[in-house]
Amino acid sequence: LDKGDKKRFRKTYLDMHFYDQSTFYLTLDKDERLSIYTILEPNEMGDMFDTLEDDLPEIPEYLNEMDLSYASKMLNDMYDDNAADILEHLDKVDVDRFLGQLPRADANNLRGLLHYDTETAGGIMTTDYVRFHEFETAKEAIGNLKRFAETAETIYYLYVLDDHDDLVGVMSLRDLIMLDDNATLKDNMNSDIITVNVDAEQAEVAQVFRDYEFLAVPVVDHSNQMVGIVTVDDVIEVIDDESLQDYSGLAGVSVDETVQDNPVKAASKRLPWLITLLLLSMITATLINHYENLLAEASILAVFISTITGTAGNAGTQSLAVAVRRLAVEEINRNEFFKLVGKELLTGFITGVVTGASVLLLVGFWKHNFILGMVIGLAMCAAITVANLAGSLIPMLMSSFGFDPAVASGPFISTLSDLTSVLIYFSIAGMFLQSFVGA
Amino acid sequence: LDKGDKKRFRKTYLDMHFYDQSTFYLTLDKDERLSIYTILEPNEMGDMFDTLEDDLPEIPEYLNEMDLSYASKMLNDMYDDNAADILEHLDKVDVDRFLGQLPRADANNLRGLLHYDTETAGGIMTTDYVRFHEFETAKEAIGNLKRFAETAETIYYLYVLDDHDDLVGVMSLRDLIMLDDNATLKDNMNSDIITVNVDAEQAEVAQVFRDYEFLAVPVVDHSNQMVGIVTVDDVIEVIDDESLQDYSGLAGVSVDETVQDNPVKAASKRLPWLITLLLLSMITATLINHYENLLAEASILAVFISTITGTAGNAGTQSLAVAVRRLAVEEINRNEFFKLVGKELLTGFITGVVTGASVLLLVGFWKHNFILGMVIGLAMCAAITVANLAGSLIPMLMSSFGFDPAVASGPFISTLSDLTSVLIYFSIAGMFLQSFVGA
C-alpha cells in the first residue's frame, strides 16, 4: 500500500457501514490488520469494534497486536457498554494494562460497569446518554444535542434532570423537534418515567421494551439516581440470548453454533448430559430387570415398553415446554402455583385418556386381546398423566427455589418419565397378568 | 361520570403511557368501554390500540361495539402496519365495512398492506415514513420533519428521494441535527443503502437489524422502488415469534400461553402430535413383536430396550436442535450440506463410542457378562450415530425442499429413533445370541 492507495482505502472503508467494515476486518490476516491500524484513527476503529460480538474469541489477540495506547484509546472511544463487554472477556492483567492508559474518570467509569452482573440491567447499560436541565428551552436543548451527538449512544431520548441531578422527566427528540424555540423542557417533558433497576434481570428489561416499544430506557440505582440507559440494540441481543438458553435447555445441549464445526468439541459438549441421562436410564433398566419373571411369563409385555415410555416422554416434553415458556413471561405465586399444577394434571389426564383409549383399540384389534389392550391403555393413561405433572411441576419448583427452570431439559424429563412409566406399566401388568395371559 | 369527572379522567388517561392505557382499557367492562369512546378522540384511541397485540381475540368485539365511523377513523389514525395487522384478523365483511368509510387513498393503502404475506417484510412494514428530496437543505428538512412528526412511525431516519422518486440516500436525524443549516441532504446522506426486499422472510429482516443495529430499514419492491419501512419494535415481535416457533417445534406442541389455561383446549392442541407419534411408535412395537422369539430366548434383552431407545433419542434431539438453530441463522448450499452431514456423523460416532463404552462397562460389571455388555454397547453406539445423523439430516433436507425445519420436532426425531434403535439392537443381539446367552 503506497500513500495514494492508503488514502483511497481509507475513503472506501469509511464509506462502508460499520458492520460491513467488521465483516471485511475479520477476513484480514495479521499483517493486513497491522497496516490498517496505521491508516485508521482509534475512534474509527472503535466504531467498527462496537459492532463485533463481544465474545468473539479473537478479540484479545486483536487488542494485543495493537499499540497499547492505540488499543486503550479505541476502547475509550467505543460506547462504554461495548467496551465493558469486551473487557469482561480479558484477563485481569490486560484489563489493568488498558485501563491504566485512560484518564482516571474514564477508567473508573468502565470499572464501574464491569462490576455489574452481565445478565442484569447494569451489565447491559451504557452511561453515554444525554442529560439536560429542566429549565433549558427547546432551542438550547437542540444546540446542546449537537455537542452530544458525536459520543452519545442515542440522542433520541433526552433525560431531564433537576438541580439535584435527579431524573425528573424524559422527552423524545421527536417531541423536542415539534416544540417552539422558547418552550422549556420542564413544561413539555413526560414526567411519568418508566425506569428499570440496575439489578433487574435482563429478561425483565426486555419485557419493558416489548410492552412500551421504547428505543431506550433509563436505569436507576437503589436511591433512584439515574446511572445509565439500556438501548434497544442490546435488548435484541438479550432476547436472542434468552431464547437460545431456553432452546438449549429443552434440547439438553448448549446450542452454540461457533463450536459445532469441530466434531470432537461438539461431542464433548453433548456427552456430559448424555452420560448423566444414561445413568438415570440404567435405573430404569434395573427396574425392568426386577420384573424379569413377569417378562419371562409374558414376553409380549416387552413389545410395548418403548410405546409407553416414548409416548409418555413426548407428553412430558410438551408439558415442560409450556411450563418453561409460561415461567419466562410471568411470576407465579403460591396460589396460582397450585391452580396451574391442577390444570396441568387435568390436561395430562384428558390427554392420557384419549391416548390410552387409542392404544387400547390398536392393541386390542392387533392382538385380538382387549384385556392386554386395557392394560397397555391404562398404563399409558397413568404414565402420561404422571409425565405431564412432572413436566410442569419440576420447572415450577425449580423456579420457585430460584433455579433456572430451563435447566430441567426435555431429555431429562423424558428419561425421568421412562422410569415412572416402566414402574406404572409393570405394576398394572402384574395385577392383570392372569387375565390377559389366559385370554 | 359527570362532566368534571370526564375532564379529569381524560387528563389522567392521556398522561399515561400508551401501554399503561391499554392495560387499563383491558380491565374495563363493555359499559365502561362505551363511555370511554365518548371521552376520547379516535386518534387518541388509536395510539393505545397501536400497543395492543394484534391477535388479541377480543379486538373484533371492541371494534364492533364502537360507532362504525369512530372505529374506521381510529384504524386510519393508527400506524398503518398495526391497522393492517388488526384487519388481518377480521372477517372480510368487517374489513370492507371499515375500509368503506375511509378516503379511497387510505383504504387502498391498507388493502395493499393486507395483500402481503404476514411473515414477510411486506407483512410487517409501515408506509408511514418520512420522505425528503435530495436538494433540500438541513434547515428545510428540519422544518418539514415537524409536519411529519405527528404521523410518521419514526422520524429518526430520513429517506431521500431523487426527481424520479427513487431512493438515493438515507440520513439519520442524528446526522441531520449536526449539519449546518444550508448543507444539502445530497451531499451528506449515506448513499450505501441497506434495504430489504418486500418478499424477504421476516427472519431475514430480523438478521439485518441484528447485524447493522438499525432502528428501521427501508423496504423496496422488485423494481427497487421504496414501498415502506420496517421498524425495530416490529422486529422484536418477529424475533419473539420465530423463537417461539422453533421452541414449539422442538417440544412438539404449539406453545401458546393464552390457550393453555383451559385443560380441554390445551389437551386438544397436544393430542394431534401425540397420537401421530403413537402410531409411529406402534411400528416400533410390531418390530419388537417380530423379534419375540429372540426375546423369549433372552428376556434380559428387554431390560435394555428403554436404555438404548432413550439415550439414542436424547442424542437425536441434541443434534436436531443444533441443526435447526444453524438453519435459522445461515443458508446452507450443497457443498456445505455434505460437509455438515459428515461432521454430524463424526460427532455422532464419537458420542456413540464414548456412550457405548460406558454402557459396556456398566452392563458388563452389573451382569458379570461382558459379551452382553458389548452387544448393548455396540447397539448403543450404532443407534446414537444413526439418531445423530437423522437429527441433522432430516431438518436440513426439509429446509432444502423449502419446508420449515422446525416442524421436525424433538418428539418426532426421538420416536423415529426408537424405531431404528430397536432394529439395530435386535439385529446385533441376534448375531451374538449364542455367545452372551451361553456366557
Side-chain angles (χ1 to χ4, degrees):
Chain A
L1 287 171
D2 67 31
K3 220 166 174 192
D5 282 344
K6 281 194 181 178
K7 233 178 169 169
R8 230 173 311 138
F9 167 80
R10 208 180 124 77
K11 170 144 181 34
T12 315
Y13 175 91
L14 290 178
D15 276 348
M16 283 158 58
H17 285 270
F18 299 146
Y19 171 72
D20 296 327
Q21 293 175 358
S22 77
T23 311
F24 165 76
Y25 175 80
L26 293 177
T27 63
L28 301 181
D29 64 28
K30 186 169 175 182
D31 284 343
E32 292 167 330
R33 290 198 303 268
L34 287 177
S35 72
I36 261 204
Y37 303 143
T38 67
I39 303 174
L40 300 170
E41 298 297 320
N43 68 323
E44 292 161 347
M45 206 64 198
D47 286 339
M48 184 271 281
F49 263 66
D50 270 323
T51 73
L52 292 180
E53 298 287 323
D54 56 72
D55 56 357
L56 199 72
E58 292 83 5
I59 286 187
E61 186 192 328
Y62 297 157
L63 291 176
N64 283 314
E65 74 196 11
M66 297 174 190
D67 274 355
L68 178 60
S69 78
Y70 186 94
S72 310
K73 272 207 195 84
M74 183 193 78
L75 286 168
N76 205 25
D77 284 334
M78 290 174 64
Y79 294 131
D80 61 5
D81 53 342
N82 297 333
D85 286 345
I86 284 183
L87 292 172
E88 197 83 44
H89 291 87
L90 301 183
D91 298 334
K92 213 196 150 310
V93 185
D94 279 340
V95 173
D96 289 342
R97 231 158 36 87
F98 292 127
L99 293 186
Q101 295 280 316
L102 300 187
R104 184 183 300 243
D106 293 339
N108 284 347
N109 179 34
L110 283 173
R111 269 190 215 287
L113 287 179
L114 280 174
H115 157 90
Y116 295 108
D117 186 347
T118 48
E119 298 205 344
T120 62
I124 53 176
M125 75 183 183
T126 175
T127 60
D128 297 327
Y129 60 92
V130 289
R131 303 162 183 78
F132 292 82
H133 191 277
E134 56 182 337
F135 293 120
E136 283 182 67
T137 63
K139 192 176 176 157
E140 288 165 346
I142 289 188
N144 285 333
L145 258 191
K146 296 190 188 187
R147 276 191 305 115
F148 282 121
E150 193 75 61
T151 55
E153 188 155 346
T154 180
I155 61 161
Y156 300 137
Y157 290 133
L158 289 68
Y159 298 95
V160 186
L161 308 178
D162 66 9
D163 285 333
H164 308 94
D165 273 356
D166 284 334
L167 178 65
V168 290
V170 178
M171 178 177 284
S172 67
L173 178 51
R174 181 192 198 116
D175 291 337
L176 177 64
I177 286 243
M178 297 208 294
L179 290 186
D180 292 332
D181 281 357
N182 295 320
T184 63
L185 301 188
K186 187 179 167 61
D187 294 335
N188 295 279
M189 68 194 184
N190 189 337
S191 47
D192 174 14
I193 315 165
I194 308 286
T195 60
V196 295
N197 196 284
V198 71
D199 291 329
E201 298 278 342
Q202 61 176 8
E204 222 174 285
V205 179
Q207 197 53 45
V208 171
F209 278 81
R210 285 196 190 96
D211 290 341
Y212 291 94
E213 305 190 350
F214 288 146
L215 301 177
V217 76
V219 182
V220 296
D221 66 13
H222 298 277
S223 52
N224 223 24
Q225 286 273 326
M226 183 171 178
V227 290
I229 60 169
V230 173
T231 52
V232 70
D233 54 311
D234 298 313
V235 166
I236 287 184
E237 267 182 61
V238 165
I239 292 176
D240 280 336
D241 275 5
E242 295 278 326
S243 78
L244 205 60
Q245 282 176 25
D246 283 357
Y247 192 81
S248 296
L250 190 63
V253 63
S254 152
V255 182
D256 180 344
E257 305 94 275
T258 56
V259 195
Q260 303 293 344
D261 280 340
N262 177 336
V264 176
K265 274 197 195 159
S268 72
K269 289 191 97 175
R270 300 187 197 177
L271 276 165
W273 253 117
L274 276 187
I275 300 284
T276 310
L277 295 174
L278 172 66
L279 295 176
L280 182 56
S281 85
M282 286 304 289
I283 304 178
T284 309
T286 61
L287 190 66
I288 303 180
N289 191 57
H290 176 74
Y291 287 103
E292 219 182 344
N293 291 337
L294 196 64
L295 273 169
E297 269 187 82
S299 61
I300 184 77
L301 288 178
V303 170
F304 299 102
I305 292 179
S306 73
T307 307
I308 290 179
T309 58
T311 308
N314 293 342
T317 304
Q318 291 181 331
S319 133
L320 170 77
V322 172
V324 169
R325 283 307 303 202
R326 187 195 297 275
L327 289 167
V329 292
E330 48 183 294
E331 295 283 317
I332 287 167
N333 64 32
R334 183 175 298 259
N335 227 336
E336 291 164 326
F337 184 95
F338 290 103
K339 223 166 102 185
L340 282 173
V341 169
K343 280 180 178 162
E344 192 57 36
L345 194 62
L346 191 55
T347 305
F349 183 69
I350 299 171
T351 321
V353 166
V354 176
T355 315
S358 313
V359 85
L360 184 161
L361 294 174
L362 284 169
V363 173
F365 282 109
W366 175 29
K367 290 287 173 190
H368 306 293
N369 186 338
F370 283 89
I371 300 186
L372 178 65
M374 190 205 64
V375 167
I376 313 284
L378 263 182
M380 183 80 95
C381 175
I384 286 177
T385 309
V386 171
N388 262 41
L389 188 61
S392 72
L393 195 57
I394 292 179
M396 279 167 67
L397 282 175
M398 289 182 68
S399 159
S400 70
F401 286 115
F403 297 100
D404 179 0
V407 174
S409 68
F412 172 71
I413 289 292
S414 67
T415 307
L416 185 71
S417 127
D418 284 356
L419 187 76
T420 56
S421 302
V422 161
L423 190 65
I424 291 167
Y425 179 36
F426 284 104
S427 309
I428 293 180
M431 283 189 271
F432 292 91
L433 185 65
Q434 300 319 318
S435 341
F436 71 82
V437 173
Chain B
L1 287 171
D2 65 32
K3 220 167 174 191
D5 281 343
K6 282 194 179 176
K7 234 179 171 170
R8 231 172 311 139
F9 167 81
R10 209 179 122 76
K11 171 149 181 30
T12 315
Y13 175 91
L14 290 177
D15 277 347
M16 282 159 64
H17 286 269
F18 298 145
Y19 172 72
D20 297 327
Q21 293 175 358
S22 77
T23 312
F24 165 75
Y25 175 80
L26 294 176
T27 62
L28 301 181
D29 64 27
K30 185 169 175 182
D31 284 343
E32 292 166 329
R33 290 198 303 268
L34 287 177
S35 73
I36 261 204
Y37 304 144
T38 67
I39 302 175
L40 299 170
E41 298 297 320
N43 68 322
E44 292 160 349
M45 208 62 197
D47 287 340
M48 182 271 280
F49 262 67
D50 271 322
T51 72
L52 291 180
E53 300 286 326
D54 56 71
D55 56 357
L56 200 72
E58 291 84 5
I59 286 188
E61 186 190 330
Y62 297 157
L63 291 176
N64 283 313
E65 75 196 11
M66 298 176 189
D67 273 355
L68 179 59
S69 78
Y70 186 95
S72 309
K73 272 208 195 86
M74 182 192 80
L75 286 168
N76 205 24
D77 284 334
M78 289 175 64
Y79 294 131
D80 62 5
D81 54 341
N82 297 334
D85 286 346
I86 284 183
L87 292 172
E88 197 83 45
H89 291 88
L90 300 185
D91 298 334
K92 216 199 148 308
V93 185
D94 280 340
V95 173
D96 290 341
R97 231 159 37 88
F98 292 128
L99 293 186
Q101 296 280 315
L102 300 187
R104 186 184 299 243
D106 293 339
N108 284 345
N109 178 35
L110 283 173
R111 271 190 213 285
L113 287 178
L114 280 174
H115 157 89
Y116 295 109
D117 185 348
T118 47
E119 297 205 347
T120 62
I124 53 175
M125 74 182 184
T126 174
T127 60
D128 298 327
Y129 59 92
V130 290
R131 301 161 184 81
F132 293 82
H133 192 277
E134 55 182 338
F135 293 120
E136 283 184 64
T137 63
K139 192 172 177 164
E140 287 166 347
I142 290 188
N144 286 331
L145 258 189
K146 295 190 189 187
R147 277 192 304 118
F148 282 119
E150 193 75 60
T151 56
E153 186 155 348
T154 179
I155 60 162
Y156 298 139
Y157 290 132
L158 290 68
Y159 299 96
V160 186
L161 309 178
D162 65 10
D163 285 333
H164 308 94
D165 272 357
D166 284 334
L167 177 65
V168 290
V170 179
M171 180 178 281
S172 68
L173 178 50
R174 180 191 198 117
D175 290 336
L176 178 64
I177 286 246
M178 298 209 292
L179 290 185
D180 292 331
D181 281 356
N182 294 318
T184 63
L185 300 188
K186 186 179 168 61
D187 294 335
N188 295 279
M189 68 192 184
N190 190 338
S191 48
D192 173 14
I193 315 164
I194 309 287
T195 60
V196 295
N197 195 284
V198 71
D199 290 328
E201 298 278 341
Q202 62 176 8
E204 222 175 285
V205 179
Q207 197 54 45
V208 171
F209 278 82
R210 285 195 189 97
D211 289 341
Y212 291 94
E213 305 188 351
F214 289 146
L215 300 178
V217 77
V219 181
V220 296
D221 66 12
H222 298 279
S223 53
N224 222 27
Q225 286 272 328
M226 184 166 175
V227 291
I229 60 169
V230 173
T231 52
V232 70
D233 54 311
D234 298 312
V235 165
I236 288 183
E237 265 183 61
V238 164
I239 292 177
D240 280 336
D241 274 5
E242 294 280 324
S243 77
L244 204 62
Q245 281 177 24
D246 284 358
Y247 191 82
S248 296
L250 191 63
V253 64
S254 151
V255 183
D256 181 345
E257 305 91 280
T258 54
V259 193
Q260 304 294 342
D261 279 340
N262 177 337
V264 176
K265 275 197 193 160
S268 72
K269 291 191 97 177
R270 300 184 197 180
L271 277 166
W273 253 117
L274 276 186
I275 300 284
T276 309
L277 294 173
L278 172 66
L279 295 177
L280 183 56
S281 84
M282 285 306 287
I283 304 179
T284 309
T286 61
L287 191 67
I288 304 179
N289 190 57
H290 176 74
Y291 289 102
E292 218 184 343
N293 291 336
L294 196 64
L295 273 168
E297 271 187 80
S299 62
I300 183 79
L301 288 177
V303 170
F304 298 103
I305 293 178
S306 74
T307 307
I308 290 180
T309 57
T311 308
N314 293 341
T317 304
Q318 291 182 330
S319 136
L320 171 77
V322 171
V324 169
R325 283 309 301 202
R326 188 196 295 274
L327 288 167
V329 293
E330 46 183 296
E331 294 283 317
I332 286 168
N333 63 34
R334 185 176 295 262
N335 226 336
E336 290 164 327
F337 184 95
F338 289 105
K339 224 167 99 183
L340 282 174
V341 169
K343 279 179 179 165
E344 192 58 35
L345 192 63
L346 190 55
T347 305
F349 184 67
I350 298 172
T351 320
V353 167
V354 176
T355 315
S358 314
V359 84
L360 184 161
L361 294 174
L362 285 168
V363 172
F365 282 110
W366 176 28
K367 289 287 171 188
H368 306 295
N369 185 339
F370 281 88
I371 299 186
L372 177 65
M374 191 203 64
V375 167
I376 312 284
L378 264 182
M380 181 80 93
C381 173
I384 286 178
T385 308
V386 171
N388 263 42
L389 189 62
S392 72
L393 196 57
I394 291 178
M396 280 166 67
L397 282 176
M398 289 181 69
S399 157
S400 69
F401 287 113
F403 297 101
D404 180 0
V407 174
S409 68
F412 172 71
I413 289 292
S414 67
T415 307
L416 185 70
S417 126
D418 284 357
L419 186 75
T420 57
S421 303
V422 161
L423 189 65
I424 291 168
Y425 178 38
F426 284 105
S427 308
I428 293 180
M431 284 190 271
F432 293 91
L433 184 65
Q434 300 318 320
S435 339
F436 72 80
V437 173

